[in-house]
Amino acid sequence: MARAGLTPERLVAAAAELADEAGLAQVTASAVARRFDVKAASLYSHIGGTDDLRTGVALLALREMADRVAEALAGRSGRDALAAFAGAYRDYARAHPGRYEAARLPLDHETAMASAGVRHSQLARAVLRGYDIAEPDQTHAVRLLGSVFHGYISLEAATGFSHTPVDSDTSWQWTLDRLDALLRSGSAG
Amino acid sequence: MARAGLTPERLVAAAAELADEAGLAQVTASAVARRFDVKAASLYSHIGGTDDLRTGVALLALREMADRVAEALAGRSGRDALAAFAGAYRDYARAHPGRYEAARLPLDHETAMASAGVRHSQLARAVLRGYDIAEPDQTHAVRLLGSVFHGYISLEAATGFSHTPVDSDTSWQWTLDRLDALLRSGSAG
DNA sequence: GTAGGTTTCCTACAGGGCTTAGGCAAATGC
DNA sequence: GCATTTGCCTAAGCCCTGTAGGAAACCTAC
């Protein structure tokens, strides 16, 4: 019988597609095996198991997001950079909800340190260079940016902010304006 | 043989404890049944299944959080109210991580509308009464509060913001200060 | 080109979890 | 005290995980 050509990379890529289509919970060894017309047991020479698959999706998502954010940020500063930064995350989450979900999985310290997660905080600091904020406020501000955007994106994904007549895009712009103002007054401490 | 005295409420309560101790993923019909020294099949006359159990935990968590937030808010306004509001959520999430996790489960529209989730936005609006913000900005501000606090709490839970020497409590206070200032200047925009 | 070794995928199996169906025993109500 | 209702049981089917060991495809080197 012809071989399916399984590799860790292809398995993780399939897992990522599955996550986006059906949710991270549907990413299982069985489901991924089905995508390759292969028995579930065949995956175990390539990956450790279901957890490995999900962690793989998380690492992939962190890399892809960092790439997109970096590209969005190129040549921008100030409010422009802030909007590009936030927009890149939001767009990614909407295009790849399962991957985004995976990116929030807890990673052990070692894996986290070797992941693209590190680039994310560097990118946030790049945005803040447009705002003249010194340490330790800069660290506070990095956390604030992460919190606001991750929070907004995940609440938007869960509820769609659909219970009121106010448009979510309008709230998003409003939030960016206010955050920009907040950071601009940031050097005051 | 003696009966175990199962009820939907007791099952959900046990599921909530389990969630806090071991994570929401460990909340299964089997695991809850073990807590009552009962076979898993016995649960099915009381609850619909595993999903029901988790949804039950979500609804419980929403109720408990709304109660605590309401209590924390009593008699406070302005920055005091803001800090009490945010602190109540953060404390709850730390005391009951599994319940907090469950509270973010997507609920169908009908269930969401009948849940205590509705009270949460009312409580956020109560905080904003101290800041003189009219619609539609008030809705934007409600979303901002939800985003910042939920985002902060979930990032804190996942990473502990432990990769840098800057204390998380300090960032939290800084965030509250800045948010207070932002809302105070809010009537302008 | 073909023999050996390696890799890839297979079948088989053990272990759990979910959930339904149907039965017996305990509680309840009359 | 007896009938009914309720609560928990066993049994069984299905799906997922992960391990072990086998067979076939691929590679290498003569």
Side-chain angles (χ1 to χ4, degrees), chain B residues 122-152:
Chain B
Q122 292 168 348
L123 289 163
R125 282 175 199 280
V127 171
L128 294 177
R129 275 201 286 278
Y131 291 96
D132 184 34
I133 302 175
E135 286 297 353
D137 286 7
Q138 188 171 105
T139 295
H140 302 323
V142 168
R143 291 171 177 176
L144 175 60
L145 293 185
S147 300
V148 176
F149 299 140
H150 167 54
Y152 195 98

Side-chain angles (χ1 to χ4, degrees), chain A:
Chain A
M1 61 208 43
R3 295 192 177 179
L6 306 182
T7 66
E9 292 70 28
R10 292 188 65 200
L11 291 172
V12 167
E17 288 174 23
L18 194 55
D20 288 336
E21 292 164 15
L24 189 61
Q26 304 309 310
V27 174
T28 65
S30 297
V32 171
R34 271 192 294 275
R35 292 225 157 190
F36 287 93
D37 252 304
V38 141
K39 301 297 174 186
S42 305
L43 306 196
Y44 287 81
S45 15
H46 302 281
I47 48 114
T50 297
D51 283 354
D52 256 47
L53 231 29
R54 293 185 184 157
T55 301
V57 175
L59 296 175
L60 173 66
L62 288 172
R63 258 183 281 127
E64 289 182 345
M65 277 196 284
D67 289 347
R68 294 192 186 199
V69 171
E71 185 174 1
L73 235 44
R76 298 182 202 274
S77 71
R79 207 214 108 116
D80 252 25
L82 184 69
F85 177 83
Y89 284 110
R90 189 173 181 227
D91 291 346
Y92 187 84
R94 298 211 261 202
H96 299 291
R99 285 155 148 102
Y100 186 83
E101 194 185 347
R104 311 266 45 117
L105 286 178
L107 303 174
D108 61 79
H109 189 259
E110 199 175 347
T111 308
M113 280 321 197
S115 78
V118 180
R119 289 170 62 201
H120 290 270
S121 57
Q122 291 169 348
L123 288 162
R125 282 176 199 278
V127 170
L128 293 176
R129 274 201 286 278
Y131 290 98
D132 184 35
I133 302 176
E135 286 295 356
D137 286 7
Q138 190 172 104
T139 295
H140 301 323
V142 168
R143 291 172 179 177
L144 174 61
L145 293 184
S147 299
V148 176
F149 299 142
H150 167 54
Y152 195 98
I153 289 165
S154 71
L155 293 180
E156 188 178 39
T159 74
F161 288 141
S162 53
H163 315 336
T164 82
V166 180
D167 183 56
S168 183
D169 286 342
T170 310
S171 290
W172 179 257
Q173 291 304 327
W174 184 91
T175 298
L176 289 174
D177 280 340
R178 291 325 179 85
L179 229 40
D180 176 62
L182 183 157
L183 296 172
R184 215 168 281 293
S185 70
S187 42

Side-chain angles (χ1 to χ4, degrees), chain B residues 121-179:
Chain B
S121 57
Q122 292 168 348
L123 289 163
R125 282 175 199 280
V127 171
L128 294 177
R129 275 201 286 278
Y131 291 96
D132 184 34
I133 302 175
E135 286 297 353
D137 286 7
Q138 188 171 105
T139 295
H140 302 323
V142 168
R143 291 171 177 176
L144 175 60
L145 293 185
S147 300
V148 176
F149 299 140
H150 167 54
Y152 195 98
I153 290 165
S154 71
L155 293 180
E156 188 177 39
T159 74
F161 288 141
S162 52
H163 314 337
T164 82
V166 180
D167 184 56
S168 183
D169 286 342
T170 310
S171 290
W172 180 257
Q173 291 303 328
W174 184 91
T175 298
L176 288 173
D177 280 339
R178 292 325 179 87
L179 229 39

Side-chain angles (χ1 to χ4, degrees), chain B residues 17 24 64 66 126 141 172 176:
Chain B
E17 287 174 23
L24 189 61
E64 289 182 346
W172 180 257
L176 288 173

Side-chain angles (χ1 to χ4, degrees), chain B residues 9 12-13 15-17 19-20 24 52-70 88-89 91-93 95-105 107 115-120 123:
Chain B
E9 291 71 26
V12 167
E17 287 174 23
D20 288 336
L24 189 61
D52 257 45
L53 230 29
R54 294 186 183 155
T55 300
V57 176
L59 296 175
L60 172 66
L62 288 172
R63 257 182 282 127
E64 289 182 346
M65 278 197 284
D67 289 347
R68 295 194 186 198
V69 170
Y89 283 111
D91 291 346
Y92 187 85
H96 300 292
R99 286 153 147 103
Y100 186 83
E101 193 185 348
R104 312 268 39 121
L105 286 177
L107 303 173
S115 79
V118 180
R119 288 169 62 201
H120 290 270
L123 289 163

